[in-house]
Amino acid sequence: MKKSVWSMCGMCTVRCPIRVEVEDNTVTWLEGNQHILKGALCAKGSAGPALVADKERPQQPLIRRGGRGAGRWEAVSWEFALDYIADKLKTIIDRHGPESIMASSRGGPFHDLVKAFTHALGSPNYTDHDSACGRNVHHASISLFGLGRKGFIYDIKNAKHLVLFGRNILSSLRPAEVNQVMDMLDKGGRLTYVDVRQTLTGIKATNFFQVRPGTDYALALALIHEIIKADGYDAEFVERYTTGFDELAYFVENYSAEWAAKECGIKVKDIHELVGQLIADRPKVVFHPGWMLSRYNDSFYASRALNCLNALMGNIEVEGGLIFAKGAGDCGGKGPRSLTELSPKPTAKRADGVGDVYKQFEKGPGLFHLFYKAMATATPYPIKGIICVRHDPFACFPDPKAQKEALDNCDLIVSVDTHYSEFGWYADVILPESTYLERDSMIALQKGMKPRLVMRNKAIDPQDDTLDLYRIIKGLATRLGLDQYFPHSTMQELWAWQLEPTGFTLADFEKKGFVEYADKPVLYDRDKLEGKFKTPSGKIEIISQKLDEWGFPSWKPYESPAKPPKGQYRLVFGRSPLHAHSHTINNPLLNELMPQNTLWINTREGGKMGIAEGDLVDVISGDVTSVVIAKLTDFIHPEAVYTVHGFGRQIPLQTRAYHAGMSDQKLMKGQLQNMDPVGGGLNLCETFVAVRKSSKNHQRKREL
């Protein structure tokens, strides 16, 4: 039997809309949704069927029978596993209260299922991975616009100039976004890329700046200085919609192009040329404020400066600029229901202190890494149970050894995932979720210029003894007496309930796989943007009232980053277009294309150490030593070494990924609580490592 199914990719967090062809419960074809992506799909998306076929992933529930991390598992039934978890949760709640349970997920459009379950338990402690990703960007955007990092859509296709600071947009691959970049370039638009190394994005750039690591903020301040000095900003927009411009002009007085060129290690004439281009291209200039910007101890302020440059360009709500992300209400409609509506809102304070101890952070998902502090100290109360859904904290956050020491205070650790994760390997229970091709997901609203409802439809039946997340959550809820918060027996019932206020039905999804609220892009009147910025003043706050109230400066004086000690290098990491962090490293197809990572070393630095291309090198941080293949290149700053994130896994059942390459986060010793105090993002690029030629290199035989 043949069929075609509209669905949504799950190989990474982009979640592209897809169309799947199926015959006899086997996927025969995958492509991007023609109505949005014109069939385009990345390598990860194309490897979806290999994920289904891969038998090196959990195929039924597993319960730990040896010590944590020992890899001694007992395969059990779903009934046994859910009973086991529910009994453990009941015991923890009876002894320590419901707030002693925390749960995490990868976030995204379907997070409300895990959040609803956490709240139904009576715990406020739902969280996600974002303190190792976009929290700095999110909080920087709120401080300026009163809107989070997803509050704007970047109209890249129609821009004249796109400026990216470390946003390797052609590798951190969102196919729709990549196509927009290529369309912009084809129309003569300009691309400026700033990074410590050359990348796929930098190769396409009109202007490429290879800066000293940790100096992004310096260059951003200099651009503000030079644009103001040249009267190159949109004075009318700034006067009407911003507060604090005069204070900003005074603050950046000493941050000239000449100063930044020396600080960043670039040419002053190149900065002046860039400023001239930006002024000429205004207002169709987009400064991307970052996506994953958990890097340096001033990354919050770097992102804030990039957002401020957008305001100076006057590019808000104009073609080729930043467009307010519209919701259902902007189109006269209503959004779908969320399961969080059914769960009571917990009254206990969060264990991570967000919204209480740390008033500067939006409550939302809080900050995952701060829960480890609560586990270790039982302050403000103990955390005794943790459930992670498609989230591997050991691959996400620094110093897994320190994480394990905190987790050992927990009585229950549960991993819900489609594959083995290092966190799951240390857990007490592994619950195998069906792959994205084998499961339905909830309906979600995607805001944009044309907001739409999206959903994931199951393309094939599960190949193994796995379940979709709703059935897992509902199974636990039933055992815990929480059925009233998850009353729907099937996903079809849940979808119908979600859609009821929208006026749409499931039949409306059949034509395109999604439902749009508008036929044409929805734009606000640019002369009537008052009230659109959700700050205390209702304007773009260059000087933030909230930051001032919390005792933080709106603009932090620049501090030159520390240089690595002699013989050491700053460890930086990034993405490959072939892998989604650690999630795809063991995928049979993708592993064949990229089986391991390497360590990029500046050619001259490698020569000083006697390291040649392809040599094995030791990378050392404290008591941790990793061995990896060296890649020598001129296109990385001599103060830094670079690797692709996600490798160096130590799960024996994943034979393709086992000990392949190195793990950057395991080298980040002592960095688990090193966060930006204003943005909340971890400082993941503030680790220095020693590098040496490894003794594991094969010795060449001397010819006689």
Side-chain angles (χ1 to χ4, degrees), residues 324-594:
F324 284 94
K326 311 305 189 302
D330 294 298
C331 306
K334 292 184 177 180
R337 286 174 172 150
S338 165
L339 278 172
T340 55
E341 298 172 17
L342 300 180
S343 300
K345 192 171 182 180
T347 56
K349 294 178 180 179
R350 293 179 61 92
D352 58 1
V354 171
D356 175 31
V357 178
Y358 303 102
K359 297 185 185 299
Q360 68 270 33
F361 303 140
E362 180 197 52
K363 278 189 179 180
L367 299 173
F368 189 112
H369 65 277
L370 292 178
F371 283 100
Y372 286 128
K373 199 182 275 188
M375 290 177 198
T377 65
T379 304
Y381 46 78
I383 293 292
K384 291 296 182 180
I386 177 172
I387 302 171
C388 284
V389 178
R390 292 193 301 279
H391 178 202
D392 182 357
F394 293 173
C396 182
F397 299 110
D399 202 345
K401 184 178 179 182
Q403 295 183 56
K404 291 175 183 177
E405 290 173 357
L407 284 166
D408 282 343
N409 293 293
C410 290
D411 299 332
L412 177 66
I413 303 174
V414 179
S415 172
V416 183
D417 216 325
T418 58
H419 61 272
Y420 292 111
S421 67
E422 295 215 334
F423 175 83
W425 201 249
Y426 199 73
D428 303 317
V429 185
I430 296 176
L431 298 181
E433 185 183 20
S434 304
T435 68
Y436 73 95
L437 290 166
E438 302 169 312
R439 70 174 184 259
D440 297 314
S441 296
M442 296 177 65
I443 291 169
L445 172 67
Q446 285 185 345
K447 293 185 176 182
M449 287 187 274
K450 294 197 296 182
R452 57 179 175 247
L453 295 176
V454 297
M455 64 187 301
R456 175 183 287 128
N457 285 296
K458 180 173 68 172
I460 58 176
D461 292 326
Q463 309 291 294
D464 302 299
D465 189 14
T466 63
L467 290 180
D468 64 77
L469 185 59
Y470 184 76
R471 290 176 66 190
I472 294 172
I473 294 294
K474 184 169 177 61
L476 288 173
T478 298
R479 287 163 171 80
L480 292 166
L482 304 174
D483 257 338
Q484 68 268 35
Y485 306 124
F486 302 92
H488 311 100
S489 300
T490 65
M491 286 300 295
Q492 286 70 25
E493 286 183 19
L494 176 56
W495 286 336
W497 175 79
Q498 282 191 279
L499 287 173
E500 192 174 331
T502 70
F504 297 116
T505 67
L506 289 175
D508 294 313
F509 289 82
E510 292 176 1
K511 185 177 181 181
K512 297 181 178 180
F514 60 92
V515 175
E516 289 181 306
Y517 281 87
D519 296 327
K520 298 179 180 179
V522 178
L523 294 174
Y524 298 141
D525 185 337
R526 194 168 178 275
D527 292 326
K528 298 178 182 178
L529 296 182
E530 289 85 355
K532 301 299 182 185
F533 305 105
K534 306 304 180 183
T535 56
S537 67
K539 295 187 175 185
I540 300 170
E541 293 192 349
I542 296 173
I543 301 298
S544 167
Q545 292 186 39
K546 285 291 187 182
L547 289 179
D548 185 61
E549 176 186 326
W550 295 323
F552 296 104
S554 293
W555 298 95
K556 176 184 175 181
Y558 177 78
E559 297 178 20
S560 187
K563 290 189 175 183
K566 187 176 180 179
Q568 295 189 33
Y569 301 88
R570 187 183 292 268
L571 177 63
V572 298
F573 63 91
R575 292 280 301 276
S576 160
L578 294 173
H579 284 297
H581 303 299
S582 65
H583 311 310
T584 58
I585 303 302
N586 203 59
N587 182 284
L589 288 180
L590 299 174
N591 181 270
E592 183 177 344
L593 293 171
M594 185 180 179

Side-chain angles (χ1 to χ4, degrees), residues 5-178:
V5 181
W6 296 113
S7 193
M8 181 180 290
C9 186
M11 293 296 288
C12 77
T13 54
V14 176
R15 302 177 181 89
C16 291
I18 57 175
R19 187 181 70 84
V20 188
E21 292 183 6
V22 177
E23 185 173 358
D24 297 331
N25 205 44
T26 301
V27 175
T28 58
W29 179 254
L30 260 176
E31 66 178 11
N33 188 310
Q34 289 284 352
H35 301 287
I36 299 176
L37 298 177
K38 299 180 180 179
L41 209 57
C42 74
K44 299 186 294 290
S46 299
L51 170 65
V52 177
D54 182 16
K55 295 304 179 183
E56 293 189 354
R57 57 185 180 87
Q59 298 166 55
Q60 62 194 100
L62 300 171
I63 292 182
R64 175 179 63 84
R65 292 308 185 198
R68 282 179 176 162
R72 291 177 56 194
W73 299 101
E74 179 186 352
V76 298
S77 68
W78 276 100
E79 289 74 17
F80 188 95
L82 295 176
D83 285 344
Y84 180 89
I85 294 170
D87 288 344
K88 289 281 187 179
L89 289 174
K90 288 176 184 176
T91 300
I92 291 171
I93 290 170
D94 288 344
R95 291 177 180 174
H96 304 285
E99 63 273 13
S100 61
I101 307 296
M102 65 171 287
S104 174
S105 73
R106 286 293 297 176
F110 309 122
H111 73 278
D112 59 342
L113 181 52
V114 181
K115 186 176 182 179
F117 177 70
T118 313
H119 287 183
L121 288 173
S123 174
N125 294 318
Y126 167 75
T127 187
D128 65 15
H129 73 292
D130 209 35
S131 59
C133 188
R135 280 291 98 179
N136 284 332
V137 179
H138 184 71
H139 287 125
S141 182
I142 290 175
S143 73
L144 206 73
F145 302 117
L147 303 167
R149 67 170 174 151
K150 297 181 182 178
F152 290 102
I153 302 298
Y154 310 121
D155 188 15
I156 294 172
K157 181 178 181 178
N158 296 308
K160 290 184 177 180
H161 204 140
L162 173 63
V163 184
L164 303 168
F165 276 59
R167 172 65 174 153
N168 187 7
I169 206 165
L170 301 186
S171 289
S172 311
L173 201 57
R174 300 160 66 94
E177 193 173 53
V178 169

